[in-house]
Amino acid sequence: MKYIQKHHTTPLLRSCLITLLVMISTSVWAQYEETVTIETDVTDTSLENDSAYIGIDETLPWNEIIHQRISGLLNNKMFETSQVGLMVYDLTADTIVFAHRERQLMRPASTQKMVTAVAALDLLGSDYQLKTRLCYTGDIANRTLEGNLYCIGALDPMFDNANMQSLINAVREAGIDTIRGKIIADQTMKDSNRLGEGWCWDDKNPTLTPLLVNRKDQFIDVFYSQLAQAGIYLDTNTDEGTTPASAKELITVSHTLTQVLDRMMKKSDNLYAEAVFYQIANYQGGRNASAKHAATVIRQLINKIGLDASDYKIADGSGLSLYNYISAEAEVALLKYAWQQSEIYYPLLNSMPIAGIDGTLENRMKGTRASGNVRAKTGTVMAVSSLTGYCTAANGHELAFSIINNGLLSASKGRAFQDKVCKALCE
């Protein structure tokens, strides 16, 4: 009887077990799906099917549609613990399209490079040259230089091995095979600070020295070594000093501001941005240019465009500094000013990353109408994500915008929000 009872109850037990397993499996899978959905929402920059667009009357005037779209995007839990300053300006109609905490001071991260670029183009022009010069004192007789060679730096971030070889060739072409004197590094173009104000000690900070080769502070060592390799006898040593006015030039190697801006903006190169910052500081020539000199010039520009420069803090040219503070309104005002000056606007526009195409926007906004349309400078440091630039709206109007997210521990959330705003503007 016990066997028969066991035999008859087995199907029931199996059925209960199967039902229980299915319930557990369904619950676990539901939890897994929820986890995946949450993670995707945090990191995925896909812009399809934005819930913020639900309920929007697409027959409304264009500017009202944009206002509703962006307002819907701002209705997000991320803004319970973070901040955003946002402004969109219709350059064609000369009117504000949308503004949200646009005057709130924010850390801009690398959109500070846009500020630096506009100031440099305004002050120096796109054809301005960063010049590294080689000069000498004394006399050249019997293929011997009885005097000093001076390497005069201008903080050119593009100076490389090929440029160094040009200096070596210039020495040889001058008929010099022996040097009896000193090889002197003239780094007086800027002050002695090799780091920027407010930079974090544990960041990968560039070294701000006027004489660089391949981005490294090894200029004189490499120059000395390559002279010897070229068969030039060196009865000399190296030193630092100031080039006398009587020195004669052997060669100048230069790169234009336009060339430097390309990498500075497309790749968000901090060294290049600081190099441009110090060109601004040194625009009157002279020596010992400082970050304060550059900041003074930029504040003058901010005042010129109708804002009060005392409301902002300009600490460096790259956005690495923790001390930079600016607003979305100020960034848009600078973009508007640049747009009004063709000699500034076109070099600036051409230097900016293009959404879905190149630079730091290469992998963003792909498959949307913002791709190939938005040209903007990105910014990312700890707790900061930003985007500022230009786009053409669906109605054909040209827009300038700035979006500065602060207080975000996940930069991808900021990028996703910015991309959605750009999509809203371009559709």
Side-chain angles (χ1 to χ4, degrees):
M1 291 294 293
K2 289 181 179 180
Y3 173 78
I4 294 173
Q5 186 179 9
K6 182 179 179 181
H7 177 74
H8 284 291
T9 57
T10 297
L12 179 60
L13 287 171
R14 287 178 178 172
S15 176
C16 290
L17 286 170
I18 291 171
T19 300
L20 182 60
L21 287 170
V22 169
M23 291 174 64
I24 293 171
S25 175
T26 302
S27 176
V28 169
W29 179 249
Q31 292 178 13
Y32 174 75
E33 283 191 311
E34 184 180 3
T35 302
V36 170
T37 301
I38 292 172
E39 183 65 19
T40 301
D41 186 55
V42 169
T43 59
D44 186 15
T45 57
S46 173
L47 305 177
E48 301 302 319
N49 302 318
D50 290 319
S51 60
Y53 291 3
I54 296 175
I56 294 178
D57 182 358
E58 298 292 337
T59 64
L60 290 170
W62 172 82
N63 60 329
E64 293 184 27
I65 292 174
I66 296 301
H67 196 279
Q68 289 193 24
R69 286 176 177 175
I70 300 178
S71 295
L73 293 171
L74 286 168
N75 185 23
N76 189 302
K77 287 182 65 177
M78 68 186 277
F79 298 118
E80 293 177 7
T81 56
S82 67
Q83 307 84 44
V84 64
L86 192 160
M87 188 172 185
V88 180
Y89 196 89
D90 187 329
L91 297 165
T92 305
D94 194 19
T95 187
I96 296 172
V97 176
F98 190 92
H100 173 79
R101 296 181 180 174
E102 72 279 10
R103 294 183 178 174
Q104 179 71 47
L105 289 181
M106 299 278 188
R107 287 175 56 204
S110 282
T111 57
Q112 184 74 20
K113 293 182 176 73
M114 181 278 293
V115 177
T116 303
V118 172
L121 288 166
D122 182 53
L123 181 70
L124 306 172
S126 60
D127 294 332
Y128 171 86
Q129 295 185 340
L130 290 75
K131 299 177 180 179
T132 303
R133 299 167 58 217
L134 182 63
C135 296
Y136 73 95
T137 56
D139 298 310
I140 303 171
N142 300 319
R143 304 188 67 83
T144 298
L145 171 61
E146 296 283 355
N148 299 330
L149 275 180
Y150 291 86
C151 301
I152 308 165
L155 220 174
D156 181 354
M158 297 185 69
F159 194 96
D160 59 14
N161 288 333
N163 299 139
M164 182 64 77
Q165 188 59 52
S166 295
L167 302 191
I168 305 301
N169 292 343
V171 174
R172 292 175 61 88
E173 289 167 8
I176 299 171
D177 65 15
T178 301
I179 300 173
R180 290 195 171 99
K182 292 182 178 180
I183 295 175
I184 297 176
D186 185 340
Q187 308 207 69
T188 58
M189 168 260 189
K190 68 176 293 294
D191 58 21
S192 60
N193 292 331
R194 295 299 181 250
L195 296 174
E197 180 188 14
W199 287 7
C200 293
W201 65 269
D202 56 348
D203 273 348
K204 294 180 179 178
N205 298 313
T207 300
L208 306 181
T209 178
L211 283 169
L212 294 167
V213 58
N214 299 324
R215 307 175 63 96
K216 296 179 181 179
D217 184 13
Q218 300 175 346
F219 191 102
I220 291 298
D221 290 342
V222 173
F223 182 59
Y224 191 96
S225 174
Q226 290 197 12
L227 283 172
Q229 291 174 21
I232 297 172
Y233 178 73
L234 302 171
D235 184 9
T236 180
N237 54 21
T238 62
D239 200 355
E240 290 198 9
T242 302
T243 307
S246 60
K248 297 174 279 287
E249 185 175 293
L250 281 176
I251 188 174
T252 295
V253 175
S254 64
H255 296 99
T256 65
L257 179 60
T258 296
Q259 290 176 296
V260 175
L261 286 181
D262 186 68
R263 181 175 176 86
M264 164 182 157
M265 300 292 278
K266 295 279 189 185
K267 300 297 185 182
S268 200
D269 193 298
N270 294 320
L271 173 61
Y272 280 51
E274 295 302 327
V276 173
F277 192 61
Y278 276 94
Q279 306 310 309
I280 295 171
N282 195 50
Y283 79 102
Q284 290 183 323
R287 306 186 188 282
N288 298 313
S290 70
K292 289 183 179 179
H293 293 148
T296 296
V297 174
I298 294 174
R299 285 196 297 269
Q300 290 170 349
L301 173 60
I302 291 172
N303 285 330
K304 184 169 75 170
I305 64 176
L307 298 176
D308 186 348
S310 65
D311 291 339
Y312 313 103
K313 171 66 174 177
I314 306 296
D316 70 4
S318 62
L320 278 174
S321 177
L322 300 176
Y323 301 160
N324 290 309
Y325 277 94
I326 199 164
S327 67
E329 179 186 51
E331 289 196 337
V332 166
L334 285 164
L335 290 169
K336 178 184 175 184
Y337 174 76
W339 183 77
Q340 293 169 335
Q341 323 291 325
S342 60
E343 67 275 15
I344 300 175
Y345 175 65
Y346 289 110
L348 178 68
L349 187 71
N350 291 335
S351 73
M352 283 185 166
I354 305 172
I357 304 295
D358 65 13
T360 53
L361 286 179
E362 182 177 1
N363 297 315
R364 292 174 61 176
M365 306 179 221
K366 284 183 176 289
T368 74
R369 292 183 182 177
S371 180
N373 182 345
V374 170
R375 293 175 179 241
K377 184 69 198 76
T378 57
T380 307
V381 296
M382 175 59 71
V384 180
S385 180
S386 53
L387 187 70
T388 186
Y390 302 101
C391 67
T392 301
N395 65 353
H397 287 202
E398 293 183 66
L399 309 178
F401 65 88
S402 172
I403 311 165
I404 310 176
N405 292 92
N406 277 198
L408 284 174
L409 295 183
S410 172
S412 63
K413 288 184 179 180
R415 289 192 292 268
F417 172 76
Q418 295 151 17
D419 291 356
K420 289 178 181 180
V421 170
C422 288
K423 179 195 173 187
L425 297 176
C426 295
E427 285 191 334

